[in-house]
Amino acid sequence: MSERKVGFIGLGKYLPENRLTNKDLEKIVDTTDEWIRERTGIRERRIAREDEATSDMAVHAAKAALKNAKLKPEDIDLIIVATITPDMFFPSTACIVQNRLGANHAPAFDISVACSGFIYGIAIANQFVKSGIYKRVLLIAAEKMSSVTDWKDRATCVLMGDGAGAAILGEVEDGGILSVYLGADGSKGDLLKMPAGGSRLPATASTVEGRLHFLKMQGNELFRHAVRIMANAALKAAEPLGLKGDDINLVIPHQANIRILNAVAKRMGINPAKKVYLNIDKYGNMSAASSAVALAEAVEEGRVKKGDIILLDAFGAGLTWGGIIIKW
Ligand code: COA
């Protein structure tokens, strides 16, 4: 019997209404619109309302994906939420989403893989569908990065945004996921982390005073690793299929920094202006949600056509990374 082909049968997204522009940030920290645009490619980002949690954005994106797939919540066999900004430590955001959707018979769990969360989630969903254990997996990548952003730290607060993307994976007749490559390097975990709030440093008045419940990043060093690692992840995903840069119709990367993406495209021999999908200018870095929203928008805008070879490529805290090749 031939192996099941696993692909995307529905996509959705949700972006909060509130736009925070670079000009707005000039009033909050010592920065300029020009610095942010030139160094990162970001013009504005979306910020969730104070009363809007990660699960709220996740539910919106999931409903959009269900509608796109013409499915009902009860058709979903498994729910995975990729997030590093869950509503709370437990219960998982996936369980909150399961209840809100009424997807009552679906098991549900979160994965914590930072910016590579959507890629890891696809890898998991792929296995469940391929093995025949589940028919339809709802994968949501949702982040309220503004909730862990230090609005006094100009080096990080200009980078992040909030949002959610969702995908339903299931069996397809043609194409689908052709190769998956994942990686991690825990020795470099200190480069990007939120130090307090877990069992190592539970919340106390002093952790709050020390601003340890916010994201801390060594941007310069991360930048160096990001270029090398994302280029390598792309190669590793393409290698088993014998694909070269020219064979890829569109790269849909994690949107951390436009300079990283241009450098990665150059290493792959790909023209970034033609073959790299970008929405970092509108949304900044939404961690796991970035790749999910980018995929949903690329398809919505007609940048992905049937039969196209797509590369998803991500890198993030952990460190973690992954590359996935899909035939659309
Ligand atoms: N506005 C103005 N100046 C700023 C600034 C801001 N928002 N943030 C930092 N600066 C200053 C720094 O203080 C530094 O000043 P100094 O030279 O007087 O010390 C100068 O700009 C250069 O800082 P540097 O950190 O070297 O800038 P950079 O070109 O490396 O860009 C990042 C900074 C964060 C944009 C970049 O390093 C990056 O994108 N890193 C990787 C991010 C990433 O991949 N993150 C997570 C993975 S998902």
Side-chain angles (χ1 to χ4, degrees), residues 201-224:
L201 277 179
T204 61
S206 92
T207 61
V208 172
E209 204 183 330
R211 309 186 78 72
L212 299 178
H213 296 269
F214 295 125
L215 165 166
K216 310 279 176 201
M217 184 174 87
Q218 295 175 40
N220 247 318
E221 206 177 331
L222 265 181
F223 190 101
R224 242 176 357 95

Side-chain angles (χ1 to χ4, degrees), residues 30-32 35-36 39-40 115 154-155 158-159 192 217 219-220 222-223 226 254 256-257 259-260 285 315-317:
D30 180 15
T31 191
T32 61
W35 190 96
I36 303 170
R39 295 291 181 130
T40 71
C115 304
R154 69 174 181 174
V158 303
L159 305 174
L192 181 52
M217 184 174 87
N220 247 318
L222 265 181
F223 190 101
H254 168 55
N257 184 316
R259 291 186 295 135
I260 294 177
N285 179 348
F315 160 85

Side-chain angles (χ1 to χ4, degrees), residues 138-255:
L138 169 62
L139 167 65
I140 310 164
E143 302 279 17
K144 186 174 178 179
M145 294 308 290
S146 62
S147 67
V148 294
T149 296
D150 186 345
W151 295 101
K152 287 189 171 166
D153 177 12
R154 69 174 181 174
T156 56
C157 77
V158 303
L159 305 174
M160 302 296 167
D162 301 335
I168 299 170
L169 289 100
E171 194 172 351
V172 291
E173 280 179 13
D174 220 11
I177 296 164
L178 303 182
S179 86
V180 175
Y181 171 76
L182 304 178
D185 178 2
S187 73
K188 296 186 179 61
D190 282 342
L191 295 179
L192 181 52
K193 65 180 180 184
M194 188 175 108
S199 60
R200 178 70 61 195
L201 277 179
T204 61
S206 92
T207 61
V208 172
E209 204 183 330
R211 309 186 78 72
L212 299 178
H213 296 269
F214 295 125
L215 165 166
K216 310 279 176 201
M217 184 174 87
Q218 295 175 40
N220 247 318
E221 206 177 331
L222 265 181
F223 190 101
R224 242 176 357 95
H225 291 300
V227 174
R228 178 181 52 83
I229 288 173
M230 284 182 81
N232 190 50
L235 281 176
K236 291 277 191 197
E239 226 167 46
L241 304 167
L243 297 176
K244 299 267 176 309
D246 271 355
D247 303 314
I248 292 164
N249 297 100
L250 190 66
V251 182
I252 304 181
H254 168 55
Q255 316 268 318

